[in-house]
Amino acid sequence: MIGPTLAHYRITAAIGAGGMGEVYRATDTKLGRDVALKVLPPEMASDPERLERFQREAKALAALDHPGIVGVYSVEEAGGVHFLTMQLVEGQSLDRLISGDGLPVDRILAIAMALADALAAAHDKGIVHRDLKPANVMVTNDGRVKVLDFGLAKLTGAAGGAEVDSERSTEMRTREGVVMGTMPYMSPEQVQGQPVDQRTDIFSLGVILYEMASGRRPFQGRSSAALVSSILRDAPRPLGDVRPDLPAKFTEVIARCLEKDPRARPQTAEHLSHELEELRGVPSGRPTPVGTPRGRRRPAVVLVGVVAALMAVVAGVWRARSPSATEASLAVLPFANGGSDPDTEYLSDGVTVGLINQLSELPALKVMSRLSVERFSKGASDPLAAGRLLGVASILTGSLVVRGERLVIDAALLAVSDGHQLWGDRFERGKGDLLTIEREIVGKIGERLRVKLANNPDHSAAAVDPEAYDLYLRGRYVMLGTSDDGPTRAQEFFRRAIEREPRLAIAYAGLGDSYVDQSWLNSKDRGQTVPQAKAALKKAIELDPRLSEAHVLAAQIAQDFDWDWPAAEAAYGKAIELNPGSDLAHREYASYLLIMDRPDAAIAEARTAQSLDPLSVYATHQLAFNLMAAGRLPEAATQFRAAIELNPTWVWGSIKLSLTYALMGDRTKALAAAARADELLGKKAGSPLAQSWLAWTAYLCGDPTRLEQTLARLHDQARTTFVDPAVLAELYYPKRDLDRMFESLERGYDARSPLLVHLGIQGRFLWKDIARDPRYLSLVKRMAYPPARASR
């Protein structure tokens, strides 16, 4: 188009192409100035709806009056050609300035501050860029930084009412959710086609900062699929290893921008801008100005600082303020073992778990579970980032040191929003006072957050033998391990604890848990271990009828081994009544509701468990499985993928995702997920149940060979070790060998296989055509499955 005139604009040169069309240099013959013209593609201009959307977007972008953002002058049309007129920026794009060794520290920081400030201005107007990359950042000839090409911008309600999305991408689109942007700079939520907000721009900015610092992008891949995988799963190489001259605080800021979960990133560009401003004058060099005018916003920043200082002076008034509803959520981060003796590790773990259990009894407080917080290292360097990732208002952090027979515990309660310490104290007492210290900490937190612990004298720590409690903590510590002999090793500690303190209810509950675990792992021992679990449970409830964990144990025994459905529901109800914040109780109850053929209630209860434990693979898995069994396969696949993101090495996530895709008829994705499961299993075949599910996936994808091989392998295995007959039944069904299938189910019934509790689910989900077989109906009747529907 060089040479022609559009209206009164004479086109003089081609500049490039962006997400919304081609860009040209032109002269405005009326005003005598050079401008940039962005010409819309014909297919967009000819679609009235898309054109109207574009005009609304342009109007919102024109309202961005910020020196760090290229200005939009007008939206025009001439001869059927629709185009934008914009400020012409002359200089070099950032991608041409980044060298293989990166940029100097002061220049990186100056550009970072300019970009954060520009994004903050856009976000204030409800505009998310969505295609931030070095090619869309211009450094002018006089050193100013300009953000270009908002052609893929997402306008939220703040920008003009209903949310609006542009529909053209620069490099990538998919139809499984519209994916927009440039792949190497996309956030995890972007590449998955999920809803995005301003935090996706913060992630993209983090990628740019990493590239400016190191000369390479943080996420790499030889193909689009490999790059997506890297963005979703890989941790970038620490910048401190690449650029030791970078201030440590700066590398921490960049690392937080690159967090996979948006909640762990700086939540606003404004906040990020302030953090970068604080880095001025760091030892590695004061950043030089590159045209980052911040004057119009600086008075507000200064005012905030003055107010914060005044509030610190009048701390008594500040501390007396009433906590808002959002303050009633808390995470106990793993307490650090401050000593050098690894043999005392169980004590710091025990304090963490003990505080979580007791705080979750505060009825108005939402407490993250152990499974959510255990992913964070002890003494995390950035506890506030952990709090943001967990989505809580406050965090409790601390350490424990053993000095002979004395304990020194430091604890602090911090507000995640601003890092203020809400409460803190040091406790230096004898080891026998550990439970008392825990109760004091819980009481102090309850006072600070204006919530009270239920009156429960049975939980008093005053009369507990300290050595018994120490042994109990050791047993729980062993139980948390991954070793198959963990339950039997833990039993020894629990028995010794009970010998020391015969009235220690929690030790009996722990002993019962260990027998249940052993019953699952070693089915041949079930005739002995299940009665032992019941005996321990009975004693725990006699000693402390308000112990929520004991009622969860009672429900699991009634459900998995006794098939006493009403008793299981009553126990789950009691556990939740005693501890509404127990993610374990809600998660297990969700499983029960599915077994009882109440899928909608099961899904709702699983969502409750997930909200209480957002970073737990188990909570997300329960929701995914419930959706799968309810036939909501696309939603199930989404949740299984979310579980895998939480733990990419969790093999069951890949196994169940593979079967979900197979049931959806997506052979390619099913086999890819199955291949990932095989990769994680390595040379191990996996448990019989895992082998069965993978064989089912292969069968549904048109390959019966694996099913035959798996059956043969499990029959060989059964000669020396126990193989649950219910697993073999699953493999006979696709062969249509129903006689052997029901023979195996009967043997499972005789062995009291806990897998049979899902018999009804199988009948509705996988074995639909045998739901009226007399042999199936006989089993269901003998198991009283499902009973009359009752609601808690």
Side-chain angles (χ1 to χ4, degrees):
M1 289 184 64
I2 300 174
T5 298
L6 284 175
H8 54 281
Y9 299 97
R10 186 175 67 253
I11 297 175
T12 58
I15 295 177
M20 295 286 288
E22 296 177 333
V23 184
Y24 299 91
R25 182 186 184 117
T27 300
D28 183 340
T29 58
K30 286 187 176 181
L31 298 178
R33 65 178 179 181
D34 286 341
V35 297
L37 299 186
K38 177 171 282 191
V39 178
L40 270 65
E43 64 269 23
M44 175 172 284
S46 62
D47 185 330
E49 182 180 345
R50 294 170 74 185
L51 181 60
E52 180 186 0
R53 181 186 299 138
F54 163 72
Q55 290 169 338
R56 290 201 306 269
E57 294 174 356
K59 182 178 179 180
L61 293 171
L64 286 177
D65 181 16
H66 187 276
I69 298 174
V70 172
V72 174
Y73 295 148
S74 63
V75 182
E76 303 195 29
E77 184 269 335
V81 177
H82 294 263
F83 59 96
L84 281 174
T85 66
M86 302 179 297
Q87 176 188 11
L88 179 67
V89 180
E90 297 187 279
Q92 281 189 296
S93 58
L94 183 58
D95 59 335
R96 296 187 178 185
L97 294 176
I98 298 175
S99 68
D101 297 326
L103 300 176
V105 175
D106 58 348
R107 196 163 196 203
I108 298 170
L109 186 54
I111 293 174
M113 291 166 58
L115 291 176
D117 199 60
L119 288 177
H123 295 167
D124 285 347
K125 297 289 186 180
I127 298 173
V128 181
H129 193 290
R130 293 200 303 179
D131 195 24
L132 194 64
K133 57 186 176 183
N136 280 340
V137 176
M138 185 72 75
V139 179
T140 67
N141 294 334
D142 58 356
R144 290 175 293 133
V145 175
K146 293 274 189 178
V147 179
L148 313 177
D149 199 357
F150 276 82
L152 297 182
K154 171 182 176 178
L155 310 187
T156 62
E163 185 177 287
V164 178
D165 278 340
S166 300
E167 287 193 356
R168 291 183 62 85
S169 70
T170 301
E171 291 186 12
M172 178 187 175
R173 277 178 79 202
T174 74
R175 297 312 308 168
E176 189 177 334
V178 179
V179 178
M180 298 185 178
T182 302
M183 176 78 77
Y185 301 92
M186 285 184 179
S187 65
E189 58 269 27
Q190 238 179 325
V191 298
Q192 297 178 90
Q194 297 174 350
V196 300
D197 56 24
Q198 68 269 16
R199 294 172 296 183
T200 203
D201 284 348
I202 291 172
F203 184 93
S204 300
L205 178 55
V207 177
I208 293 173
L209 298 183
Y210 190 102
E211 188 174 356
M212 283 197 293
S214 66
R216 66 192 300 272
R217 297 169 186 150
F219 308 107
Q220 303 285 328
R222 294 186 177 181
S223 65
S224 294
L227 184 53
V228 167
S229 177
S230 180
I231 292 170
L232 291 176
R233 296 179 175 85
D234 292 349
R237 182 183 177 188
L239 268 178
D241 296 348
V242 183
R243 287 286 299 272
D245 61 317
L246 287 176
K249 178 65 176 175
F250 193 21
T251 62
E252 290 176 11
V253 169
I254 296 173
R256 284 198 295 112
C257 290
L258 294 174
E259 286 283 357
K260 310 295 186 189
D261 192 310
R263 293 171 296 180
R265 301 171 202 154
Q267 295 299 284
T268 66
E270 176 82 23
H271 182 216
L272 177 60
S273 178
H274 297 337
E275 289 193 60
L276 294 170
E277 177 71 19
E278 292 173 1
L279 289 171
R280 283 184 177 272
V282 290
S284 57
R286 183 181 179 87
T288 56
V290 290
T292 56
R294 308 164 69 86
R296 288 192 303 154
R297 284 148 49 97
R298 183 54 51 208
V301 174
V302 173
L303 179 60
V304 169
V306 172
V307 171
L310 288 173
M311 290 179 74
V313 172
V314 291
V317 176
W318 174 76
R319 287 180 180 272
R321 78 189 194 279
S322 297
S324 65
T326 57
E327 285 183 295
S329 58
L330 178 145
V332 182
L333 297 186
F335 271 46
N337 177 13
S340 58
D341 184 1
D343 289 339
T344 61
E345 193 77 15
Y346 72 95
L347 280 172
S348 56
D349 279 3
V351 168
T352 306
V353 174
L355 288 170
I356 289 172
N357 290 342
Q358 293 184 55
L359 285 164
S360 64
E361 294 177 12
L362 295 169
L365 184 64
K366 175 182 175 182
V367 181
M368 294 296 105
S369 75
R370 175 188 60 80
L371 292 172
S372 274
V373 302
E374 69 180 1
R375 67 185 292 171
F376 300 103
S377 60
K378 296 186 175 187
S381 60
D382 193 347
L384 297 182
R388 286 189 289 269
L389 180 59
L390 290 164
V392 294
S394 52
I395 54 171
L396 180 66
T397 183
S399 64
L400 178 148
V401 177
V402 179
R403 295 174 179 167
E405 294 302 311
R406 304 285 290 175
L407 293 177
V408 179
I409 296 178
D410 287 291
L413 182 69
L414 307 178
V416 172
S417 61
D418 53 17
H420 282 309
Q421 181 168 307
L422 304 175
W423 166 83
D425 206 347
R426 165 172 283 199
F427 302 84
E428 187 168 356
R429 300 183 193 167
K431 291 176 69 174
D433 293 323
L434 181 56
L435 267 175
T436 304
I437 295 172
E438 289 178 8
R439 295 289 288 181
E440 285 186 26
I441 292 174
V442 171
K444 294 293 185 182
I445 291 173
E447 290 175 9
R448 177 63 192 88
L449 299 181
R450 306 285 180 87
V451 288
K452 294 182 178 180
L453 186 65
N455 183 24
N456 187 1
D458 292 317
H459 283 103
S460 172
V464 174
D465 180 273
E467 186 173 337
Y469 188 63
D470 184 271
L471 289 165
Y472 163 76
L473 293 179
R474 289 178 183 269
R476 281 294 185 189
Y477 183 75
V478 171
M479 282 274 287
L480 294 178
T482 58
S483 173
D484 284 354
D485 66 348
T488 54
R489 291 170 53 212
Q491 287 160 15
E492 178 62 26
F493 288 112
F494 292 137
R495 291 192 194 99
R496 289 168 57 193
I498 291 167
E499 289 173 6
R500 292 280 313 183
E501 177 54 84
R503 298 190 58 79
L504 189 58
I506 51 177
Y508 281 102
L511 184 61
D513 282 338
S514 70
Y515 284 130
V516 166
D517 283 0
Q518 188 179 356
S519 300
W520 272 90
L521 291 169
N522 301 299
S523 302
K524 286 184 176 180
D525 300 334
R526 200 173 289 147
Q528 177 181 354
T529 54
V530 171
Q532 288 173 318
K534 290 179 179 180
L537 167 67
K538 180 181 178 181
K539 191 65 177 178
I541 291 182
E542 283 178 2
L543 292 170
D544 187 354
R546 295 186 56 84
L547 188 61
S548 177
E549 295 93 325
H551 291 280
V552 173
L553 173 62
Q556 290 172 326
I557 292 173
Q559 171 185 298
D560 293 344
F561 303 112
D562 289 348
W563 303 335
D564 186 341
W565 316 115
E569 178 148 33
Y572 282 130
K574 187 65 174 178
I576 292 172
E577 175 190 338
L578 291 171
N579 188 351
S582 170
D583 66 288
L584 171 65
H586 286 286
R587 187 175 76 236
E588 293 298 329
Y589 184 50
S591 175
Y592 169 87
L593 289 169
L594 184 66
I595 293 168
M596 292 297 99
D597 195 20
R598 291 150 64 182
D600 292 341
I603 290 168
E605 195 70 16
R607 291 193 192 280
T608 298
Q610 189 184 51
S611 71
L612 291 168
D613 199 357
L615 300 184
S616 165
V617 168
Y618 307 107
T620 301
H621 158 261
Q622 189 62 60
L623 175 58
F625 185 73
N626 287 7
L627 289 164
M628 179 188 187
R632 295 162 61 172
L633 298 177
E635 294 174 79
T638 298
Q639 292 298 329
F640 279 129
R641 289 196 301 268
I644 291 169
E645 286 178 32
L646 290 170
N647 183 359
T649 63
W650 182 54
V651 67
W652 267 107
S654 295
I655 290 172
K656 293 189 177 181
L657 179 62
S658 71
L659 184 56
T660 302
Y661 279 137
L663 291 166
M664 291 169 64
D666 193 331
R667 184 176 183 275
T668 301
K669 289 183 178 178
L671 293 178
R676 173 59 177 162
D678 284 329
E679 177 187 342
L680 291 171
L681 288 169
K683 295 181 179 180
K684 299 179 181 178
S687 70
L689 190 60
Q691 295 179 57
S692 170
W693 280 55
L694 287 170
W696 258 92
T697 294
Y699 176 82
L700 291 173
C701 290
D703 178 13
T705 306
R706 181 160 185 166
L707 189 143
E708 296 288 355
Q709 293 172 341
T710 302
L711 252 178
R713 184 187 310 116
L714 291 181
H715 276 296
D716 287 342
Q717 187 175 330
R719 294 190 179 98
T720 55
T721 60
F722 181 84
V723 174
D724 197 312
V727 175
L728 297 174
E730 290 187 356
L731 293 170
Y732 283 126
Y733 173 78
K735 290 168 57 67
R736 310 307 297 165
D737 191 345
L738 299 187
D739 289 339
R740 288 192 179 182
M741 173 185 169
F742 281 109
E743 178 187 338
S744 296
L745 287 175
E746 287 292 345
R747 288 193 289 115
Y749 179 88
D750 293 338
R752 218 65 178 180
S753 166
L755 292 177
L756 279 192
V757 300
H758 294 113
L759 183 65
I761 298 173
Q762 301 285 62
R764 293 187 305 276
F765 182 48
L766 290 176
W767 304 341
K768 295 179 181 179
D769 60 333
I770 63 164
R772 295 191 179 278
D773 190 299
R775 293 169 291 184
Y776 175 81
L777 293 174
S778 173
L779 276 169
V780 168
K781 183 178 181 180
R782 280 178 279 153
M783 293 181 68
Y785 173 90
R789 287 169 176 74
S791 58
R792 180 171 48 84

